[in-house]
mmCIF file of all heavy atoms in Angstrom:
data_model
loop_
_atom_site.group_PDB
_atom_site.id
_atom_site.type_symbol
_atom_site.label_atom_id
_atom_site.label_comp_id
_atom_site.label_asym_id
_atom_site.label_seq_id
_atom_site.Cartn_x
_atom_site.Cartn_y
_atom_site.Cartn_z
ATOM 1 N N THR F 35 4.620 -5.490 0.531
ATOM 2 C CA THR F 35 5.811 -5.597 1.356
ATOM 3 C C THR F 35 6.052 -7.058 1.737
ATOM 4 O O THR F 35 5.185 -7.922 1.566
ATOM 5 C CB THR F 35 5.700 -4.780 2.653
ATOM 6 O OG1 THR F 35 4.754 -5.429 3.528
ATOM 7 C CG2 THR F 35 5.257 -3.352 2.385
ATOM 8 N N LEU F 52 9.129 -2.123 0.399
ATOM 9 C CA LEU F 52 8.389 -2.711 -0.700
ATOM 10 C C LEU F 52 9.151 -3.909 -1.284
ATOM 11 O O LEU F 52 10.391 -3.920 -1.332
ATOM 12 C CB LEU F 52 8.170 -1.695 -1.815
ATOM 13 C CG LEU F 52 7.307 -0.460 -1.505
ATOM 14 C CD1 LEU F 52 7.149 0.375 -2.760
ATOM 15 C CD2 LEU F 52 5.963 -0.850 -0.939
ATOM 16 N N ILE F 72 -3.766 16.192 -9.399
ATOM 17 C CA ILE F 72 -3.267 16.120 -8.034
ATOM 18 C C ILE F 72 -2.356 17.309 -7.744
ATOM 19 O O ILE F 72 -1.422 17.607 -8.500
ATOM 20 C CB ILE F 72 -2.503 14.802 -7.813
ATOM 21 C CG1 ILE F 72 -3.459 13.608 -7.981
ATOM 22 C CG2 ILE F 72 -1.833 14.779 -6.450
ATOM 23 C CD1 ILE F 72 -2.759 12.290 -8.196
ATOM 24 N N ALA F 74 -1.317 17.779 -4.249
ATOM 25 C CA ALA F 74 -0.668 17.503 -2.959
ATOM 26 C C ALA F 74 -0.588 15.990 -2.745
ATOM 27 O O ALA F 74 -1.508 15.262 -3.125
ATOM 28 C CB ALA F 74 -1.422 18.158 -1.813
ATOM 29 N N TYR F 76 0.380 13.190 0.355
ATOM 30 C CA TYR F 76 0.644 12.944 1.770
ATOM 31 C C TYR F 76 0.948 11.465 1.976
ATOM 32 O O TYR F 76 0.349 10.614 1.321
ATOM 33 C CB TYR F 76 -0.560 13.340 2.633
ATOM 34 C CG TYR F 76 -0.841 14.814 2.692
ATOM 35 C CD1 TYR F 76 -1.491 15.467 1.653
ATOM 36 C CD2 TYR F 76 -0.439 15.571 3.796
ATOM 37 C CE1 TYR F 76 -1.745 16.826 1.698
ATOM 38 C CE2 TYR F 76 -0.692 16.937 3.853
ATOM 39 C CZ TYR F 76 -1.344 17.551 2.801
ATOM 40 O OH TYR F 76 -1.601 18.903 2.851
ATOM 41 N N ARG F 82 6.941 2.205 3.729
ATOM 42 C CA ARG F 82 6.297 1.641 2.531
ATOM 43 C C ARG F 82 5.402 2.648 1.825
ATOM 44 O O ARG F 82 5.272 2.609 0.609
ATOM 45 C CB ARG F 82 5.522 0.377 2.896
ATOM 46 C CG ARG F 82 4.481 0.507 4.015
ATOM 47 C CD ARG F 82 4.000 -0.887 4.401
ATOM 48 N NE ARG F 82 3.012 -0.944 5.459
ATOM 49 C CZ ARG F 82 3.295 -1.081 6.755
ATOM 50 N NH1 ARG F 82 4.563 -1.113 7.142
ATOM 51 N NH2 ARG F 82 2.334 -1.174 7.653
ATOM 52 N N ALA F 91 4.999 11.349 -6.901
ATOM 53 C CA ALA F 91 5.373 12.697 -6.495
ATOM 54 C C ALA F 91 6.449 13.270 -7.420
ATOM 55 O O ALA F 91 6.395 14.447 -7.810
ATOM 56 C CB ALA F 91 5.868 12.691 -5.051
ATOM 57 N N ALA F 93 6.986 12.464 -10.562
ATOM 58 C CA ALA F 93 6.396 12.767 -11.866
ATOM 59 C C ALA F 93 5.595 14.059 -11.844
ATOM 60 O O ALA F 93 5.530 14.767 -12.847
ATOM 61 C CB ALA F 93 5.521 11.605 -12.301
ATOM 62 N N THR F 97 6.540 17.477 -3.471
ATOM 63 C CA THR F 97 7.250 16.909 -2.326
ATOM 64 C C THR F 97 6.219 16.299 -1.383
ATOM 65 O O THR F 97 5.337 17.021 -0.888
ATOM 66 C CB THR F 97 8.050 17.981 -1.571
ATOM 67 O OG1 THR F 97 9.014 18.553 -2.456
ATOM 68 C CG2 THR F 97 8.751 17.385 -0.366
ATOM 69 N N PRO F 98 6.290 15.001 -1.110
ATOM 70 C CA PRO F 98 5.300 14.387 -0.217
ATOM 71 C C PRO F 98 5.399 14.950 1.201
ATOM 72 O O PRO F 98 6.496 15.210 1.714
ATOM 73 C CB PRO F 98 5.686 12.902 -0.238
ATOM 74 C CG PRO F 98 6.458 12.721 -1.503
ATOM 75 C CD PRO F 98 7.204 14.017 -1.695
ATOM 76 N N HIS F 99 4.245 15.129 1.811
ATOM 77 C CA HIS F 99 4.169 15.554 3.207
ATOM 78 C C HIS F 99 4.065 14.313 4.088
ATOM 79 O O HIS F 99 3.129 13.524 3.924
ATOM 80 C CB HIS F 99 2.951 16.438 3.440
ATOM 81 C CG HIS F 99 2.866 17.637 2.533
ATOM 82 N ND1 HIS F 99 3.702 18.724 2.680
ATOM 83 C CD2 HIS F 99 2.063 17.906 1.469
ATOM 84 C CE1 HIS F 99 3.407 19.621 1.758
ATOM 85 N NE2 HIS F 99 2.419 19.145 0.997
ATOM 86 N N LEU F 104 -1.388 9.292 9.275
ATOM 87 C CA LEU F 104 -1.836 8.378 8.221
ATOM 88 C C LEU F 104 -1.348 6.951 8.428
ATOM 89 O O LEU F 104 -1.648 6.076 7.618
ATOM 90 C CB LEU F 104 -1.352 8.877 6.856
ATOM 91 C CG LEU F 104 -1.838 10.254 6.400
ATOM 92 C CD1 LEU F 104 -1.299 10.559 5.012
ATOM 93 C CD2 LEU F 104 -3.361 10.333 6.404
ATOM 94 N N GLU F 106 -0.761 3.087 9.828
ATOM 95 C CA GLU F 106 -1.715 1.992 9.948
ATOM 96 C C GLU F 106 -2.308 1.935 11.360
ATOM 97 O O GLU F 106 -1.709 2.428 12.329
ATOM 98 C CB GLU F 106 -1.013 0.663 9.634
ATOM 99 C CG GLU F 106 -1.897 -0.574 9.683
ATOM 100 C CD GLU F 106 -3.081 -0.549 8.709
ATOM 101 O OE1 GLU F 106 -3.976 0.293 8.929
ATOM 102 O OE2 GLU F 106 -3.106 -1.363 7.774
ATOM 103 N N GLU F 113 1.534 -6.918 17.444
ATOM 104 C CA GLU F 113 2.473 -6.503 16.407
ATOM 105 C C GLU F 113 3.280 -7.682 15.854
ATOM 106 O O GLU F 113 3.852 -8.464 16.611
ATOM 107 C CB GLU F 113 3.434 -5.440 16.953
ATOM 108 C CG GLU F 113 4.418 -4.862 15.973
ATOM 109 C CD GLU F 113 3.739 -4.024 14.886
ATOM 110 O OE1 GLU F 113 2.592 -3.577 15.064
ATOM 111 O OE2 GLU F 113 4.394 -3.807 13.843
ATOM 112 N N ILE F 121 -5.162 -12.136 13.588
ATOM 113 C CA ILE F 121 -5.642 -11.466 12.379
ATOM 114 C C ILE F 121 -7.157 -11.259 12.469
ATOM 115 O O ILE F 121 -7.682 -10.199 12.121
ATOM 116 C CB ILE F 121 -5.281 -12.279 11.124
ATOM 117 C CG1 ILE F 121 -3.764 -12.289 10.939
ATOM 118 C CG2 ILE F 121 -5.957 -11.691 9.886
ATOM 119 C CD1 ILE F 121 -3.279 -13.231 9.842
ATOM 120 N N LEU F 140 -7.877 -2.975 20.581
ATOM 121 C CA LEU F 140 -6.894 -4.052 20.550
ATOM 122 C C LEU F 140 -6.008 -3.981 21.780
ATOM 123 O O LEU F 140 -5.704 -2.889 22.271
ATOM 124 C CB LEU F 140 -6.035 -3.936 19.291
ATOM 125 C CG LEU F 140 -6.754 -4.195 17.971
ATOM 126 C CD1 LEU F 140 -5.926 -3.679 16.798
ATOM 127 C CD2 LEU F 140 -7.052 -5.674 17.805
ATOM 128 N N ASP F 155 -7.260 14.761 11.117
ATOM 129 C CA ASP F 155 -6.404 15.950 11.153
ATOM 130 C C ASP F 155 -5.658 16.137 9.837
ATOM 131 O O ASP F 155 -5.514 17.265 9.335
ATOM 132 C CB ASP F 155 -5.414 15.859 12.310
ATOM 133 C CG ASP F 155 -6.075 15.999 13.673
ATOM 134 O OD1 ASP F 155 -7.222 16.473 13.732
ATOM 135 O OD2 ASP F 155 -5.438 15.612 14.681
ATOM 136 N N GLU F 158 -8.158 17.181 7.065
ATOM 137 C CA GLU F 158 -8.508 18.593 7.201
ATOM 138 C C GLU F 158 -7.376 19.497 6.704
ATOM 139 O O GLU F 158 -7.620 20.517 6.049
ATOM 140 C CB GLU F 158 -8.852 18.902 8.649
ATOM 141 C CG GLU F 158 -10.170 18.261 9.084
ATOM 142 C CD GLU F 158 -10.438 18.418 10.576
ATOM 143 O OE1 GLU F 158 -9.638 19.118 11.245
ATOM 144 O OE2 GLU F 158 -11.427 17.843 11.061
ATOM 145 N N ASP F 165 -6.929 21.058 -3.846
ATOM 146 C CA ASP F 165 -8.185 20.682 -4.479
ATOM 147 C C ASP F 165 -8.265 19.181 -4.741
ATOM 148 O O ASP F 165 -9.327 18.589 -4.698
ATOM 149 C CB ASP F 165 -8.361 21.426 -5.810
ATOM 150 C CG ASP F 165 -8.515 22.916 -5.615
ATOM 151 O OD1 ASP F 165 -9.222 23.325 -4.662
ATOM 152 O OD2 ASP F 165 -7.933 23.684 -6.398
ATOM 153 N N ALA F 178 -11.322 1.568 7.606
ATOM 154 C CA ALA F 178 -11.995 2.009 8.828
ATOM 155 C C ALA F 178 -12.407 3.470 8.718
ATOM 156 O O ALA F 178 -13.545 3.833 9.063
ATOM 157 C CB ALA F 178 -11.070 1.814 10.044
ATOM 158 N N GLU F 185 -20.614 8.677 4.131
ATOM 159 C CA GLU F 185 -21.956 8.136 4.279
ATOM 160 C C GLU F 185 -22.261 7.027 3.282
ATOM 161 O O GLU F 185 -23.135 6.199 3.521
ATOM 162 C CB GLU F 185 -22.990 9.251 4.150
ATOM 163 C CG GLU F 185 -22.968 9.974 2.820
ATOM 164 C CD GLU F 185 -23.867 11.201 2.803
ATOM 165 O OE1 GLU F 185 -23.709 12.072 3.693
ATOM 166 O OE2 GLU F 185 -24.734 11.275 1.926
ATOM 167 N N VAL F 189 -20.525 -0.473 6.482
ATOM 168 C CA VAL F 189 -19.618 -1.480 7.009
ATOM 169 C C VAL F 189 -19.643 -2.728 6.142
ATOM 170 O O VAL F 189 -18.638 -3.425 6.001
ATOM 171 C CB VAL F 189 -19.963 -1.793 8.485
ATOM 172 C CG1 VAL F 189 -21.315 -2.486 8.602
ATOM 173 C CG2 VAL F 189 -18.882 -2.664 9.122
ATOM 174 N N LEU F 204 -11.701 6.708 -3.798
ATOM 175 C CA LEU F 204 -11.770 8.079 -4.270
ATOM 176 C C LEU F 204 -13.032 8.725 -3.715
ATOM 177 O O LEU F 204 -14.143 8.225 -3.909
ATOM 178 C CB LEU F 204 -11.801 8.131 -5.804
ATOM 179 C CG LEU F 204 -10.485 7.883 -6.534
ATOM 180 C CD1 LEU F 204 -9.988 6.452 -6.316
ATOM 181 C CD2 LEU F 204 -10.628 8.152 -8.030
ATOM 182 N N PRO F 209 -14.439 17.953 4.602
ATOM 183 C CA PRO F 209 -14.246 17.180 5.819
ATOM 184 C C PRO F 209 -15.528 16.900 6.598
ATOM 185 O O PRO F 209 -15.574 15.970 7.404
ATOM 186 C CB PRO F 209 -13.288 18.059 6.636
ATOM 187 C CG PRO F 209 -12.482 18.760 5.594
ATOM 188 C CD PRO F 209 -13.485 19.077 4.497
ATOM 189 N N GLY F 224 -3.484 -2.126 -13.500
ATOM 190 C CA GLY F 224 -3.843 -3.276 -14.325
ATOM 191 C C GLY F 224 -3.679 -4.619 -13.668
ATOM 192 O O GLY F 224 -3.034 -4.746 -12.615
ATOM 193 N N GLY F 247 -23.350 -6.843 12.863
ATOM 194 C CA GLY F 247 -24.023 -6.030 11.865
ATOM 195 C C GLY F 247 -23.296 -5.938 10.541
ATOM 196 O O GLY F 247 -23.751 -5.287 9.621
#
Side-chain angles (χ1 to χ4, degrees):
T35 71
L52 296 183
I72 297 163
Y76 291 79
R82 55 190 180 268
T97 300
H99 305 288
L104 300 181
E106 182 60 293
E113 183 68 19
I121 294 172
L140 292 164
D155 290 343
E158 290 173 5
D165 294 319
E185 60 188 55
V189 67
L204 284 65

